[in-house]
């Protein structure tokens, strides 16, 4: 595609030679002949310092937001926004050929998106999925790298979905992606926000910035479905810049409510109450959080015009998402479960749900990630100490931090713990210890890794699949 054609989307004139563009990148290490290099000014590195070098390597042009005095520069107000728009144009605007549903929130994004996709597929609407666990559509399934991909990868996925006949795409939209304008220019036919609790404050700096980032999604949406049981969402509802539909399990003023909720070892049951209907919802999946996630999914689809009877019928057949309340079969009379819970709210939710179904003890294995919010570590320790019977504190993804220092931060919140505490830095050994202590009726909960099949130590991903570790233990 010619440079001049791409630049029409930015409304700027082509000042450089009108060459053929082969790809677009913001990674200076990937610059090659025929590319456009986007100069992103980040917290640790400023791409503008590589602008001249990119041109010397054969870049067609460099997109900048500060004048570098280069003949082949394209000066824009915001290079991140330009990256998103140019990427969409490069693939022929596939985002305009899909009905895109965006889901944001601290917890519940993955499951809610999975539910929406599963229901749409069962209703005969071919739907793509972009999220933390996988990017999939039809018979195609690829492992994800980022919850919300960078603009070129994102639009490539949209393009492939369009070619394969998808009508819808449901995607998780992270706060970082919104701040970095990865979804800039996309019109969402619907959006949803599941909840807001402290997370990624190391990136956003404060809760206000984090909340405002989440709410940006609604400004690009035809309508939004929101959880008004969440205090922070309710407090910021006046900032939402699109039509809003609310859902709740406690507030009768909400547009959609869940009534007569039953949560037990057999799953969940409740009555979905809308404007002019009451429908029974049943699922073999358990936990109050599943009530909220299905409530959100139904609210979105009802407002998109789908039949409530068909929606609720489809929910009965929805299966588990990998790494979310995932039961791993073991040759013992106790249960082993893997869950992605890695925030205080997520850990509290899964432990509360497991408490509802266990006939014995909860043996918890958990840790906290390195180079991330330190404030949540003692809070997660406190929750673990309150809601489990045996808490095995271990390493998660330490990244560039000392695992023992992370563990010490967690233990600061466990001084008044009701649970018995064990500290085992090596996560494999921690899992083996938990399995060795389990008895009939117990539930061993491995929290934090979920779908991940690796452990991040330093800047390296080490193969680490908890399912395989469990299998090895019993072999």
């Amino acid at each position: 595609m010619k440079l001049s054609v791409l630049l029409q989307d930015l409304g700027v004139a082509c000042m450089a030679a009108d060459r053929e563009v082969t790809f677009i990148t913001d990674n200076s290490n990937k610059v090659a002949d025929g590319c456009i290099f986007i100069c992103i000014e980040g917290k640790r590195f400023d791409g503008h310092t590589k602008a001249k070098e990119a041109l010397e390597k054969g870049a067609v042009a460099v997109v900048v937001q500060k004048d570098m005095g280069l003949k082949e520069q394209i000066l824009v107000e915001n290079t991140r926004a330009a990256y998103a728009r140019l990427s969409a144009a490069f693939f022929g605007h596939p985002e305009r050929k899909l009905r895109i549903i965006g889901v944001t929130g601290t917890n519940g994004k993955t499951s809610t998106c999975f539910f929406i996709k599963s229901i749409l597929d069962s209703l005969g609407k071919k739907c793509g999925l972009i999220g933390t666990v996988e990017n999939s559509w039809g018979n195609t399934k690829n492992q994800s790298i980022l919850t919300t991909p960078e603009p070129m990868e994102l639009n490539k996925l949209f393009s492939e979905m369009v070619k394969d006949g998808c009508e819808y795409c449901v995607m998780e939209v992270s706060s970082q992606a919104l701040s970095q304008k990865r979804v800039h220019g996309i019109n969402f036919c619907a959006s949803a926000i599941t909840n807001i609790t402290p997370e990624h404050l190391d990136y956003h700096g404060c809760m206000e910035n984090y909340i405002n980032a989440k709410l940006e999604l609604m400004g690009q949406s035809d309508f939004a479905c929101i959880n008004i049981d969440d205090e922070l969402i309710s407090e910021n509802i006046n900032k939402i810049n699109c039509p809003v539909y609310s859902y709740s399990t406690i507030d009768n003023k909400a547009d959609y409510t869940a009534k007569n909720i039953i949560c037990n070892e057999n799953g969940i049951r409740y009555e979905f109450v809308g404007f002019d209907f009451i429908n029974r919802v049943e699922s073999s999946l358990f936990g109050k959080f599943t009530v909220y996630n299905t409530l959100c999914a139904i609210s979105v689809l009802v407002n998109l015009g789908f039949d409530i009877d068909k929606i609720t019928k489809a929910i009965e057949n929805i299966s588990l998402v990998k790494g979310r309340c995932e039961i791993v079969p073991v040759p013992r009379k106790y249960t082993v479960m893997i869950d992605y819970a890695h925030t205080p709210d997520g850990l509290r939710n899964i432990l509360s749900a497991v408490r509802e179904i266990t006939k014995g003890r909860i043996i918890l294995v958990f840790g906290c990630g390195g180079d991330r919010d330190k404030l949540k570590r003692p809070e997660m320790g406190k929750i673990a100490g309150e809601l489990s019977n045996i808490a095995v504190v271990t390493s998660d993804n330490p990244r560039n931090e000392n695992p023992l220092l992370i563990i010490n931060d967690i233990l600061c919140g466990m001084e008044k713990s009701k649970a018995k505490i064990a500290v085992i830095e090596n996560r494999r050994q921690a899992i083996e210890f938990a399995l060795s202590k389990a008895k009939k009726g117990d539930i061993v909960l491995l929290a934090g890794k979920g779908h991940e099949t690796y452990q991040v130590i330093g800047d390296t991903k080490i193969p680490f699949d908890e399912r395989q570790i469990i299998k090895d233990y019993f072999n």
Side-chain angles (χ1 to χ4, degrees):
M1 184 177 291
K2 290 289 187 180
L3 177 62
S4 59
V5 177
L6 283 174
L7 294 183
Q8 290 175 6
D9 270 68
L10 298 183
V12 297
C14 182
M15 304 301 291
D18 194 15
R19 292 167 55 193
E20 194 73 21
V21 176
T22 54
F23 68 102
I24 305 167
T25 183
D26 66 339
N27 187 335
S28 60
N29 295 320
K30 294 183 179 180
V31 170
D33 189 59
C35 80
I36 293 177
F37 177 55
I38 312 292
C39 299
I40 302 293
E41 188 173 0
K43 292 182 178 180
R44 299 181 181 178
F45 175 76
D46 186 354
H48 290 81
T49 62
K50 296 289 186 178
K52 185 177 179 181
E53 181 183 318
L55 294 172
E56 291 170 352
K57 287 183 177 179
V60 171
V62 292
V63 178
V64 299
Q65 61 186 36
K66 47 190 175 185
D67 193 345
M68 303 299 294
L70 300 170
K71 182 180 178 182
E72 296 88 354
Q73 73 178 19
I74 300 162
L75 186 61
V76 297
E77 184 176 342
N78 187 298
T79 52
R80 291 189 186 276
Y83 188 19
R85 297 183 75 89
L86 287 171
S87 297
F90 183 83
F91 286 99
H93 286 291
E95 84 285 2
R96 297 176 183 174
K97 301 164 188 173
L98 290 165
R99 301 198 74 191
I100 302 175
I101 302 166
V103 179
T104 194
T106 307
N107 297 302
K109 296 187 297 295
T110 299
S111 294
T112 301
C113 284
F114 182 83
F115 294 163
I116 292 173
K117 180 189 185 303
S118 297
I119 296 167
L120 283 172
D121 285 341
S122 72
L123 296 178
K125 301 293 182 181
K126 194 168 185 178
C127 180
L129 172 71
I130 296 174
T132 305
V133 176
E134 65 185 33
N135 302 320
S136 61
W137 63 95
N139 296 319
T140 301
K141 186 178 293 186
N142 301 313
Q143 189 173 357
S144 298
I145 297 174
L146 295 173
T147 295
T148 310
E150 295 287 353
M152 274 295 278
E153 176 62 20
L154 178 61
N155 282 280
K156 181 182 178 182
L157 289 170
F158 287 156
S159 178
E160 291 174 355
M161 289 177 187
V162 169
K163 289 177 183 176
D164 207 21
C166 289
E167 183 180 349
Y168 285 85
C169 172
V170 58
M171 62 181 292
E172 297 179 48
V173 188
S174 68
S175 58
Q176 293 101 317
L178 288 159
S179 294
Q180 294 171 8
K181 299 190 179 299
R182 294 182 211 163
V183 296
H184 176 77
I186 295 175
N187 177 71
F188 293 87
C189 69
S191 64
I193 181 162
T194 57
N195 49 61
I196 301 177
T197 58
E199 175 76 332
H200 302 305
L201 299 189
D202 53 315
Y203 177 84
H204 294 285
C206 65
M207 277 302 293
E208 183 179 6
N209 292 342
Y210 178 55
I211 293 167
N212 289 338
K214 291 287 188 189
L215 297 180
E216 282 186 28
L217 175 62
M218 282 76 232
Q220 296 174 225
S221 307
D222 292 344
F223 69 84
C225 291
I226 65 168
N227 173 14
I228 60 168
D229 292 350
D230 186 279
E231 186 176 345
L232 287 175
I233 295 177
S234 294
E235 288 176 357
N236 289 276
I237 194 170
N238 61 318
K239 295 182 181 179
I240 298 177
N241 192 23
C242 71
V244 171
Y245 298 92
S246 58
Y247 62 90
S248 170
T249 65
I250 55 178
D251 191 342
N252 291 328
K253 294 180 181 178
D255 296 308
Y256 304 105
T257 55
K259 295 292 186 182
N260 301 318
I261 299 170
I262 297 174
C263 295
N264 56 35
E265 67 275 10
N266 297 317
I268 62 164
R269 296 197 302 276
Y270 64 90
E271 291 171 354
F272 182 84
V273 182
F275 296 108
D276 55 0
F277 54 78
I278 299 176
N279 274 66
R280 171 71 69 177
V281 177
E282 295 187 13
S283 172
S284 60
L285 307 182
F286 70 91
K288 186 70 175 289
F289 51 84
T290 301
V291 174
Y292 275 105
N293 293 339
T294 54
L295 189 54
C296 179
I298 298 169
S299 299
V300 168
L301 293 169
V302 165
N303 276 289
L304 284 173
F306 291 99
D307 182 78
I308 182 62
D309 294 328
K310 294 179 179 178
I311 294 170
T312 52
K313 182 65 177 175
I315 286 177
E316 294 177 13
N317 300 315
I318 290 177
S319 58
L320 284 169
V321 184
K322 184 179 181 181
R324 273 60 177 178
C325 306
E326 180 183 350
I327 304 296
V328 181
V330 296
R332 295 292 186 274
K333 292 185 178 181
Y334 57 76
T335 301
V336 180
M337 182 183 297
I338 293 175
D339 193 82
Y340 190 50
H342 63 286
T343 67
D345 190 53
L347 188 61
R348 184 182 296 280
N349 285 342
I350 186 63
L351 284 170
S352 298
V354 169
R355 177 60 65 196
E356 292 175 349
I357 66 170
T358 185
K359 296 176 181 177
R361 303 169 301 169
I362 298 175
I363 303 175
L364 171 67
V365 178
F366 82 108
C368 290
D371 302 335
R372 298 292 187 271
D373 304 334
K374 292 186 178 183
L375 292 177
K376 73 180 183 183
R377 295 172 186 173
E379 188 177 354
M380 289 180 68
K382 182 181 179 182
I383 292 166
E386 290 175 348
L387 299 179
S388 66
N389 298 100
I390 300 175
V392 186
V393 187
T394 187
S395 183
D396 190 283
N397 290 325
R399 299 184 177 88
N400 293 299
E401 282 194 71
N402 184 327
L404 288 175
L405 295 180
I406 299 173
I407 289 171
N408 285 336
D409 288 341
I410 295 170
L411 293 175
C412 288
M414 304 185 78
E415 294 174 354
K416 298 180 180 180
S417 174
K418 296 177 183 178
K420 293 181 180 179
I421 302 170
V423 175
I424 303 175
E425 178 191 342
N426 183 290
R427 192 173 180 98
R428 175 184 286 272
Q429 293 174 7
I431 293 169
E432 291 171 347
F433 173 82
L435 295 173
S436 73
K437 294 297 180 183
K439 299 177 181 178
K440 180 180 178 180
D442 291 345
I443 292 182
V444 177
L445 173 62
L446 312 182
K449 300 294 294 173
H451 61 282
E452 294 177 353
T453 56
Y454 57 83
Q455 193 171 25
V456 185
I457 300 175
D459 294 321
T460 305
K461 285 186 175 181
I462 309 297
F464 193 93
D465 188 338
E466 293 184 327
R467 297 152 197 81
Q468 186 61 47
I469 290 169
I470 296 166
K471 183 178 179 180
D472 292 345
Y473 174 82
F474 287 106
N475 285 340

